[in-house]
């Protein structure tokens, strides 16, 4: 290190650190609860009979239908209010 300056040495260390971060990733995988692609998630779903499964499916369908209806009503009300405001602003 007798032939180089301190600033050149620091620049070399910075480049080395940048290359290391680029290859390893920016964040520490242990701290962000990283799980690799080789780990599969296991779910503990209860075993349902055919009749219970059909009842559950029907409940999900009913919930989805009511939620969709509610969203359409809210969208309609917002649209009516916007059209009314636009009409009053023009006149």
């Amino acid at each position: 290190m007798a032939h180089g300056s301190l600033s050149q040495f620091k620049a070399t260390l910075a480049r080395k650190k940048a290359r290391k971060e680029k290859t390893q990733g920016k964040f520490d995988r242990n701290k962000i609860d990283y799980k690799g692609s080789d780990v599969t998630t296991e779910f503990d779903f209860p075993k349902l009979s055919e009749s219970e499964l059909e009842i559950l499916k029907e409940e999900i369908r009913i919930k989805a239908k009511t939620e969709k209806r509610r969203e359409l009503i809210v969208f309609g009300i917002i649209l009516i209010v916007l059209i009314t405001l636009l009409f009053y602003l023009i006149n």
Side-chain angles (χ1 to χ4, degrees):
M1 203 167 93
H3 298 292
S5 68
L6 183 60
S7 63
Q8 289 175 337
F9 179 68
K10 286 183 179 180
T12 304
L13 288 179
R15 286 191 303 271
K16 182 179 176 184
K17 183 179 177 184
R19 281 193 305 271
K20 184 178 178 185
E21 284 179 356
K22 188 176 180 182
T23 57
Q24 289 184 348
K26 189 172 185 178
F27 301 106
D28 186 16
R29 293 181 177 177
N30 293 331
K31 290 183 181 178
I32 58 173
D33 196 27
Y34 173 78
K35 293 182 181 178
S37 61
D38 57 336
V39 177
T40 58
T41 305
E42 294 184 23
F43 298 103
D44 188 24
F45 291 119
K47 302 295 180 193
L48 298 175
S49 66
E50 286 294 321
S51 61
E52 291 174 331
L53 189 59
E54 289 300 321
I55 292 171
L56 181 63
K57 286 180 183 180
E58 189 62 32
E59 289 175 0
I60 292 172
R61 287 185 188 116
I62 291 170
K63 283 182 182 180
K65 196 175 191 180
T66 56
E67 187 174 321
K68 185 176 180 182
R69 186 179 301 138
R70 187 176 302 134
E71 288 176 0
L72 284 173
I73 291 171
V74 169
F75 177 72
I77 291 171
I78 291 172
L79 188 63
I80 290 171
V81 168
L82 287 176
I83 291 173
T84 307
L85 286 174
L86 185 63
F87 180 73
Y88 282 118
L89 289 176
I90 290 175
N91 291 334

